[in-house]
Amino acid sequence: MRRGFWGKGICAGKHAIAEYLIQQGFQLLELTSKSHHRITDEPDDDLRLQASDIRKKGDAQVSELVFENADSLLDFATKRWQDRWVTTDIADGLTLDRFLLRPFFLLVSVDAPVSLRWKRFTDRCWRRQLDPPDLEKFVLWNDRHLYDRDIGRVYLTDRAQVRLFNSSSSLEELHQALGILDLADEQRLRPNWDQYFMQLASLAAQRSNCMKRRVGCVLVRERRVISTGYNGTPRHLQNCNEGGCPRCNRGDGGGIGLSTCLCIHAEENALLEAGRERIREGAILYCDTCPCLTCTVKIAQVGISEVVYSQGYNMDKDSAAILEAAGVRLRQFHPPSNGLIYLQGFGEPAKGSGPV
């Protein structure tokens, strides 16, 4: 499998992360500088700094993994997709489009605060006995580096499946966070069944018209979708977000006026769509929020075997007790961390947080 990295800003740390992966058994794939007009971390002709110390291998070994163009690099990796590869040499949107078609490719972007990146760049200049730019000049470089219409990186990095925010103060801290994060987790490339069905539930939630909370649900048997549901007012009634449910539109607090709510819950919609005869033993209900008591008793009644949820609700313990008594397994699913991830202190509980 392969990882592609883009540093969203100058000295964000993409090469440091690529080096870490190489230490973990990945191999670096590179393009020749002439073949892709590389925009390296040296943004000015007067500061020709080598942006990475990755190339510490013998010339003979490196030459086997340097390619004239992106197509030959991609062809090489495709034939060896089960091995672990990493590259930092993706130069344009068309190249990225071809890479993203491969099921073994993961695009990871790296960013950091501009003041910290300026300090890193300044330190790099001093180590090479070069005069560093002042902060204003560095910011101008950075703006061109990110937002230039022809070469700006932001247009590529915004498509990353994983976005890392690298404010780590040392390589040790960075490596510790990366070890916990586990970028090599196979579920980032191809979701397992839990992740797949939970993503379908979250997608269903986007159709919700309830003014209080978006909830989506998927009912599954033998890894096949039986039905889906999202919360909102019943068929032929005015949508909740158009004023159809007075209780939701008043913004009543949790547990208040439930008997006057006109919205059908996502779980109820999925159960009604499937019908008792289609559910049968072995059916699993995936919901992005733990079911409430009203839905829980219906889940127990129709013979659902297992309930999987991602987010807690305010009556989880009560729902869990009912499902346990009914012989229905309940478990919470925690997908691998994707999206924007702060590497500094990754894995530690947030300040003031408690058990969920």
Side-chain angles (χ1 to χ4, degrees), residues 78-190:
T78 300
K79 295 175 181 178
R80 300 162 180 82
W81 67 270
Q82 291 181 310
D83 295 328
R84 293 185 166 189
W85 311 105
V86 61
T87 185
T88 61
D89 292 346
I90 301 174
D92 58 78
L94 292 177
T95 298
L96 179 58
D97 287 340
R98 293 199 297 273
F99 277 52
L100 287 172
L101 290 174
R102 297 296 196 269
F104 52 81
F105 178 77
L106 181 75
L107 181 65
V108 181
S109 72
V110 191
D111 201 3
V114 65
S115 58
L116 179 57
R117 292 190 281 108
W118 174 59
K119 183 179 183 304
R120 290 172 181 169
F121 192 80
T122 298
D123 292 343
R124 182 181 295 171
C125 288
W126 290 128
R127 288 197 302 270
R128 290 167 172 79
Q129 299 182 340
L130 295 169
D131 292 329
D134 57 30
L135 179 58
E136 181 179 1
K137 187 174 185 180
F138 182 83
V139 169
L140 292 175
W141 283 346
N142 181 73
D143 286 348
R144 177 176 180 271
H145 183 77
L146 291 180
Y147 303 113
D148 184 277
R149 185 169 183 173
D150 297 321
I151 63 173
R153 291 186 173 186
V154 72
Y155 306 109
L156 303 181
T157 57
D158 281 356
R159 301 175 65 186
Q161 296 102 315
V162 180
R163 295 177 293 138
L164 305 180
F165 192 75
N166 176 29
S167 56
S168 304
S169 57
S170 66
L171 282 177
E172 181 181 0
E173 182 182 30
L174 174 63
H175 290 179
Q176 182 179 7
L178 292 173
I180 299 173
L181 179 61
D182 188 15
L183 285 171
D185 189 338
E186 292 285 351
Q187 293 182 56
R188 301 184 191 282
L189 295 172
R190 187 176 188 233

Side-chain angles (χ1 to χ4, degrees), residues 203-218:
L203 180 61
Q206 299 305 305
R207 284 290 302 166
S208 169
N209 62 65
C210 179
M211 293 296 292
K212 293 287 290 184
R213 176 193 294 262
R214 282 181 168 178
V215 182
C217 176
V218 173

Side-chain angles (χ1 to χ4, degrees), residues 5 15 26 37 44 61 64 76 99 131 147 160 179 216 228 244 263 271 292 310 326-327 340:
F5 279 95
H15 293 101
F26 283 73
H37 306 290
D44 187 87
Q61 184 178 358
E64 297 177 2
F76 175 87
F99 277 52
D131 292 329
Y147 303 113
T228 63
C263 287
L271 294 175
C292 69
S310 59
L340 180 61

